Amino acid sequence: IREDEVIGKCSHQYFSDIRDFEVIKLGKQMEAEEIIKHADGTIHTYHTSRFPLLNLKGKVYALCGVSTNITKSEDCESRKKIARQDVFLKNEKRYSELIDNIPNIFFSLCCSLKFTDWNKACEKYAGIKADQVIGKTISEALPYFNDPAMLSSCLKVLKTGKAKNFIWEYIPTKTKLIFYVNINKTEQGISVLLTDITKQKQSESQTLEMLKRLQDKNQDLKQFSYIVSHNLRSPIAKISGLVNLFNRTL
């Protein structure tokens, strides 16, 4: 539309936006984003600012509007948003691959104590797949699990935000398992990392038992040496006396 085609004519002949009347009625500036189709058929986004012009008496006598084509900026922001989403998805994939490939048991819980992560080590120890656990609470996913100490520790970290580390003994069957537990607060809830130290503890126990046996044998040896020494002392004294006697006789 050329300038000479609009000068002196009413805006509603070209635009049907009721916000023009709102600006005049309220006497205040209004801003908005508008989608406008150009004559060539392309769609563009405009940031429009409408504001009233006041006379010396403070009355609105005209309306002024400024529109800025922000299509390219919006496209750029859209591309940035897509790029951020792509980076987030890649990082999330790497994170999943990382926790799946560590040998330690790792799972995370949201603030309502529902599972949000469950790695392959969890699947191996518990015999339950991740899709059977994710989105469920501990009692829903593991109805047989009832360990007040572990549940209490999870709730305490969730409440205080302070990490907690401790050694935890768990007996799912006849075999006792020993874990070093690390619970940390996260933005979504808590993360729990369990390291199986059963063999290490068994080795330590065997070493301590061996040391005790050596100490016992050492004590027995000392006792034996004392007895032998005491029992041999009298015969040796008698032999020494006889030798002295023979020497005097000769």
Side-chain angles (χ1 to χ4, degrees):
I1 304 172
R2 296 193 310 274
E3 181 182 354
D4 59 357
E5 293 179 319
V6 297
I7 298 300
K9 294 182 181 179
C10 295
S11 63
H12 66 264
Q13 291 180 256
Y14 299 96
F15 308 104
S16 59
D17 199 324
I18 61 171
R19 279 172 286 192
D20 290 347
F21 299 101
E22 291 180 5
V23 172
I24 295 171
K25 182 180 178 181
L26 299 173
K28 294 181 179 180
Q29 179 178 337
M30 292 184 67
E31 296 186 3
E33 286 189 9
E34 300 174 339
I35 307 296
I36 296 175
K37 186 177 182 180
H38 282 200
D40 61 0
T42 58
I43 304 298
H44 293 257
T45 303
Y46 283 84
H47 179 270
T48 302
S49 177
R50 296 176 175 83
F51 53 92
L53 298 178
L54 308 178
N55 59 23
L56 295 176
K57 295 182 180 180
K59 300 292 184 180
V60 177
Y61 73 92
L63 174 69
C64 185
V66 178
S67 294
T68 305
N69 192 335
I70 60 170
T71 306
K72 289 184 179 179
S73 299
E74 200 170 65
D75 288 344
C76 182
E77 186 59 36
S78 178
R79 286 193 294 271
K80 286 181 180 178
K81 185 177 180 181
I82 292 170
R84 286 195 294 268
Q85 289 175 342
D86 187 47
V87 169
F88 174 78
L89 290 173
K90 285 181 180 178
N91 288 339
E92 190 174 33
K93 184 180 178 182
R94 288 171 186 165
Y95 170 77
S96 298
E97 289 174 350
L98 176 65
I99 65 171
D100 268 343
N101 289 316
I102 60 174
N104 312 71
I105 292 174
F106 178 87
F107 61 87
S108 58
L109 302 163
C110 65
C111 294
S112 56
L113 291 182
K114 290 184 178 181
F115 288 100
T116 52
D117 286 301
W118 183 265
N119 75 345
K120 292 191 181 299
C122 288
E123 294 181 351
K124 178 184 175 182
Y125 277 85
I128 303 174
K129 296 292 184 182
D131 56 4
Q132 297 175 286
V133 172
I134 302 298
K136 296 180 180 179
T137 62
I138 296 175
S139 58
E140 291 171 341
L142 309 170
Y144 56 84
F145 181 81
N146 184 23
D147 191 292
M150 176 63 81
L151 295 173
S152 175
S153 296
C154 289
L155 289 170
K156 189 171 182 180
V157 173
L158 191 61
K159 184 178 179 180
T160 64
K162 294 181 179 180
K164 192 171 179 61
N165 305 307
F166 56 95
I167 291 176
W168 177 55
E169 294 184 358
Y170 180 53
I171 310 176
T173 55
K174 293 181 180 179
T175 305
K176 180 172 73 173
L177 299 174
I178 306 172
F179 296 96
Y180 180 76
V181 183
N182 179 274
I183 306 176
N184 284 289
K185 182 75 173 67
T186 64
E187 289 184 4
Q188 293 78 25
I190 57 172
S191 65
V192 183
L193 183 70
L194 288 83
T195 304
D196 190 343
I197 57 171
T198 306
K199 290 182 178 179
Q200 178 184 332
K201 286 295 181 182
Q202 287 175 346
S203 178
E204 287 177 3
S205 178
Q206 290 170 358
T207 301
L208 289 173
E209 187 177 349
M210 188 180 295
L211 284 172
K212 188 177 183 306
R213 287 178 182 175
L214 288 173
Q215 288 172 349
D216 291 343
K217 288 194 176 291
N218 189 43
Q219 186 63 32
D220 291 343
L221 185 58
K222 285 181 179 179
Q223 187 69 21
F224 175 74
S225 299
Y226 174 77
I227 293 171
V228 169
S229 173
H230 182 269
N231 290 340
L232 291 176
R233 191 177 301 161
S234 181
I236 289 173
K238 290 178 180 179
I239 292 170
S240 179
L242 288 172
V243 169
N244 290 331
L245 183 61
F246 284 137
N247 287 335
R248 290 173 188 172
T249 305
L250 295 173

